[in-house]
C-alpha cells in the first residue's frame, strides 16, 4: 500500500510517500520525504513538496491508496493548510483520508515502551502537550502555560526544541511528525481498509477555533481553494509520471 502523509501542525511543513505492507509486524517505510521548517510557508510549499515526493518515488497520483493527515493540535492557520490539502488530494484521486493526532505521531517515533511527554509550540507563551505509553494517550492533549504541563510519570520528553528543556527529563530528538510516524499511527485502520469520516482538527484553544458554523464555512472555502491548486498539482505529477 502506498500512502501520502502530510502534517502542518508545527513549523515543519511535512509531506512524504510511505509504503505500508500488509504484514502487521512490518514498519512503514518512507520512499520520499520533504520537510520545510517555516511556519509562514505552509500554504506555499506543501503542494510542491507533494509533487516532488511523487516524482522522486517514480509514481503518479493514481498509485496512491490512501492519505494520512495530522489533525493537530496546532495553530488554526497552519493546521488547516495541511488538512485541507490532504483532503483535497484524497478527493481528487478518490482514496480515503485518515486523520491522526500530531502529538501521537511524535510519540510513535520515540523508541521503546517508556512513558513519553510530547510538547509542541502553541504560541502565545503556551504549549500543547500529551503523555503516551505504548502509543496510547494517558493524559491530554491539552494546552497550557509551560509551567502547568503535567509531567506525571513521563520518562522522556519529545517535541519542540524550544520547549522540551522546560521540563527535567531526557530529551528524545523528535521535534515534529514524520511521514512514517503519521502512517504508523493509522496503520491498523489502513490495513483494514477503513474509510473514516472526514478528519476533525484539534485546535484546543478557543481563540484558534471559530464558531462551528464559521469553521465549516472556512473549511469549505479552504478545500475549494486548495482543491483547485491540488487538481493542477495532481495533473502535473501525473504528466511527470507518464513522461
Amino acid at each position: 500500500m502506498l500512502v501520502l502523509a502530510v502534517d502542518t501542525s508545527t513549523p515543519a511543513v511535512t509531506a512524504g510517500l510511505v509504503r505500508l505492507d500488509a504484514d502487521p509486524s512490518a514498519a512503514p517505510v518512507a520512499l520520499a520525504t520533504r520537510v520545510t521548517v517555516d511556519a509562514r510557508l505552509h500554504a506555499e510549499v506543501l503542494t510542491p513538496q507533494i509533487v516532488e515526493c511523487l516524482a522522486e518515488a517514480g509514481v503518479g497520483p493514481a498509485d496512491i491508496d490512501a492519505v494520512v493527515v495530522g489533525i493537530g493540535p496546532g495553530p488554526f492557520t497552519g493546521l488547516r493548510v495541511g488538512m485541507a490539502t490532504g483532503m483535497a488530494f484524497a478527493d481528487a484521486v478518490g482514496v480515503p483520508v485518515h486523520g491522526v493526532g500530531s502529538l501521537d505521531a511524535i510519540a510513535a517515533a520515540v523508541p521503546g515502551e517508556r512513558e513519553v511527554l510530547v510538547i509542541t509550540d502553541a504560541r502565545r507563551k503556551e504549549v500543547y502537550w500529551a503523555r503516551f505509553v505504548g502509543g496510547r494517550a494517558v493524559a491530554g492533549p491539552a494546552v497550557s502555560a509551560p509551567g502547568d504541563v503535567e509531567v506525571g510519570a513521563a520518562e522522556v520528553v519529545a517535541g519542540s526544541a524550544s520547549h522540551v528543556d522546560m521540563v527535567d527529563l531526557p530529551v528524545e530528538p523528535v521535534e515534529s511528525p514524520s511521514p512514517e510516524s503519521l502512517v504508523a499511527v493509522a496503520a491498523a485502520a489502513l490495513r483494514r481498509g477503513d474509510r473514516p469520516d472526514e478528519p476533525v482538527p484539534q485546535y484546543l484553544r478557543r481563540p484558534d477555533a471559530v464558531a462551528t458554523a464559521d469553521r465549516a464555512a472556512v473549511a469549505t472555502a479552504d478545500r475549494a481553494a486548495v482543491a483547485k491548486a491540488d487538481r493542477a498539482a495532481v495533473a502535473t505529477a501525473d504528466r511527470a509520471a507518464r513522461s
Side-chain angles (χ1 to χ4, degrees):
M1 173 184 295
L2 191 60
V3 183
L4 170 67
V6 299
D7 184 273
T8 55
S9 64
T10 74
V13 186
T14 299
L17 286 176
V18 179
R19 185 179 69 241
L20 181 69
D21 292 340
D23 181 358
S25 66
V29 177
L31 303 181
T33 299
R34 293 291 185 277
V35 180
T36 300
V37 181
D38 191 330
R40 299 168 298 179
L41 294 180
H42 288 107
E44 288 80 359
V45 304
L46 182 56
T47 296
Q49 286 185 173
I50 292 172
V51 174
E52 290 175 9
C53 286
L54 290 167
E56 181 178 324
V59 300
D63 297 310
I64 303 298
D65 298 299
V67 175
V68 174
V69 297
I71 63 170
F76 179 76
T77 302
L79 182 59
R80 65 179 180 167
V81 169
M83 293 191 64
T85 301
M87 289 188 287
F89 190 97
D91 182 65
V93 297
V95 299
V97 57
H98 296 251
V100 302
S102 301
L103 302 183
D104 301 62
I106 294 175
V110 176
E113 295 295 319
R114 298 164 293 176
E115 182 164 330
V116 182
L117 172 64
V118 179
I119 301 175
T120 59
D121 187 7
R123 303 177 185 171
R124 304 179 192 171
K125 299 181 180 180
E126 292 183 321
V127 295
Y128 300 115
W129 64 270
R131 298 199 313 272
F132 299 86
V133 176
R136 179 176 61 89
V138 295
V143 60
S144 70
D148 294 330
V149 171
E150 298 176 10
V151 175
E155 299 168 75
V156 295
V157 61
S160 169
S162 301
H163 298 88
V164 291
D165 289 335
M166 294 179 179
V167 297
D168 187 20
L169 290 172
V171 176
E172 286 286 337
V174 183
E175 297 185 23
S176 60
S178 68
E180 306 98 295
S181 66
L182 289 161
V183 172
V185 175
L190 288 164
R191 289 186 172 111
R192 287 194 304 266
D194 291 357
R195 300 190 71 90
D197 294 334
E198 182 174 296
V200 177
Q202 293 182 344
Y203 294 122
L204 299 188
R205 186 171 54 204
R206 179 62 191 171
D208 280 334
V210 295
T212 301
D214 289 343
R215 186 165 65 242
V218 168
T220 300
D222 279 346
R223 286 197 297 274
V226 175
K228 182 177 180 181
D230 273 8
R231 280 195 296 271
V234 168
T236 299
D238 203 27
R239 287 195 299 271
R242 294 169 184 271
S243 62

